[in-house]
Amino acid sequence: QVQLVESGGDLVQPGGSLRLSCAASGFTFSMYVMTWYRQAPGKERELVANSGGGSKNYADSVKGRFTISRDNAKNTVYLQMNSLKPEDTAVYYCKATGPVTSTTRYEYWGQGTQVTVSS
């Protein structure tokens, strides 16, 4: 059974930091691209960062502030968020896409974790 479980969301003041985690199970984690998305109230879901095949990509809005990393031994992907702004407030989701070695790709989503940036 595939599971993606996000954690680490919280209420934090502007300028603060949080680290989100997404623990995966039920598939070969190292063979999947892992992506963080977020969705703010009334807005569409947007890509924040992804990691896979040795590369990392970030949305322009988070470059220099957020860092995605993964520990394939622990089947976990992280999102370190620094210098948080109120506009970073959203539900953050992780998604797994793969396996990268196959022409048939599967997609799995977590349930999301709430990040609120407010004073």
Side-chain angles (χ1 to χ4, degrees), residues 22-116:
C22 173
S25 61
F27 61 96
T28 307
F29 180 81
S30 61
M31 302 301 290
Y32 280 65
V33 174
M34 298 302 297
T35 306
W36 284 99
Y37 285 82
R38 67 185 180 187
Q39 188 166 20
K43 294 189 177 181
E44 292 188 357
R45 193 170 295 189
E46 62 172 350
L47 185 148
V48 176
N50 63 25
S51 171
S55 67
K56 299 179 182 180
N57 298 286
Y58 298 91
D60 288 343
S61 58
V62 306
K63 280 181 182 175
R65 300 188 299 122
F66 291 11
T67 302
I68 188 171
S69 62
R70 62 192 294 164
D71 185 336
N72 288 340
K74 294 183 177 180
N75 290 352
T76 302
V77 61
Y78 304 97
L79 186 68
Q80 178 66 44
M81 305 187 295
N82 298 329
S83 303
L84 283 161
K85 305 175 181 179
E87 51 264 43
D88 294 318
T89 296
V91 178
Y92 284 70
Y93 300 89
C94 68
K95 183 182 80 170
T97 307
V100 297
T101 54
S102 174
T103 55
T104 301
R105 300 289 175 88
Y106 299 93
E107 194 173 276
Y108 308 115
W109 287 89
Q111 83 290 346
T113 186
Q114 176 71 48
V115 172
T116 303

